[in-house]
Amino acid sequence: QPSKVVQKFPEGFKYYPDVFGWKKDRSVLGGVLKLGGRTFAKGLGCHSHCSLSFELGGEYGEFRAVVGLDDSVRFLGEPGLGAVRFRVLLDGKPAKELGDEGLLKSKGEKPSVIKVSVAGAKTLTLVADYGPMLHILGRANWADAHLLKASAESGKAKPGD
């Protein structure tokens, strides 16, 4: 469970947390997590803008996920609408693997696998930020999201954890 949650739409738009609130192991609208035609049993579904912070306590070595816009938006809206900027923050600072800008994913694009070193970090924050058209069709999936434990000897992720 996240220790801190921030969810909102841009100023002037009403946000409905019962509809657009983040979901564990479901897409934001409650369906199966689906990216690029593939379904995922585990992960997080949310709508932009959503920020989920998790306490790590320095116990983990790596965060991994498959990210993209849920397949439910594939045929909705005008061409060019629907994008989310995926950001990963470690102790409030952008993870070097995704940089300051994060990873912009638009509807219809293939999902991307991300791997972020979290060694030594106390807090991991996953941000589904607005794309160029703000929150329009910003249904983000952090599919197969998981943490790998750090090994005591090296601080690196141990496979299989």
Side-chain angles (χ1 to χ4, degrees):
Q1 288 291 62
S3 58
K4 182 179 179 185
V5 176
V6 176
Q7 301 177 107
K8 62 184 178 179
F9 281 169
E11 191 174 325
F13 292 90
K14 182 151 175 69
Y15 178 79
Y16 298 93
D18 292 344
V19 176
F20 298 112
W22 76 277
K23 313 271 188 311
K24 181 180 175 186
D25 301 333
R26 309 298 295 163
S27 73
V28 70
L29 296 182
V32 175
L33 292 165
K34 195 168 184 180
L35 292 171
R38 182 176 167 204
T39 59
F40 295 84
K42 297 288 183 182
L44 304 167
C46 61
H47 204 292
S48 61
H49 174 94
C50 178
S51 172
L52 304 170
S53 295
F54 299 88
E55 299 302 320
L56 301 181
E59 297 178 27
Y60 297 94
E62 191 172 63
F63 169 75
R64 295 181 185 175
V66 180
V67 299
L69 270 67
D70 190 80
D71 282 0
S72 67
V73 303
R74 184 173 296 266
F75 301 109
L76 297 178
E78 298 293 321
L81 288 182
V84 171
R85 188 170 301 279
F86 290 85
R87 300 179 193 274
V88 176
L89 307 178
L90 302 173
D91 298 330
K93 296 178 183 153
K96 67 180 181 195
E97 292 86 348
L98 297 181
D100 292 343
E101 295 299 313
L103 176 63
L104 182 66
K105 299 299 291 180
S106 297
K107 87 174 171 184
E109 283 185 12
K110 288 183 178 181
S112 295
V113 174
I114 60 170
K115 296 178 183 181
V116 174
S117 172
V118 297
K122 294 182 173 88
T123 305
L124 168 71
T125 303
L126 305 178
V127 181
D129 210 347
Y130 303 130
M133 297 300 294
L134 299 175
H135 66 299
I136 306 298
L137 299 177
R139 299 178 193 169
N141 287 346
W142 301 85
D144 196 27
H146 61 284
L147 290 160
L148 299 172
K149 291 251 184 194
S151 67
E153 309 83 55
S154 66
K156 300 216 183 231
K158 295 190 317 189
D161 285 347

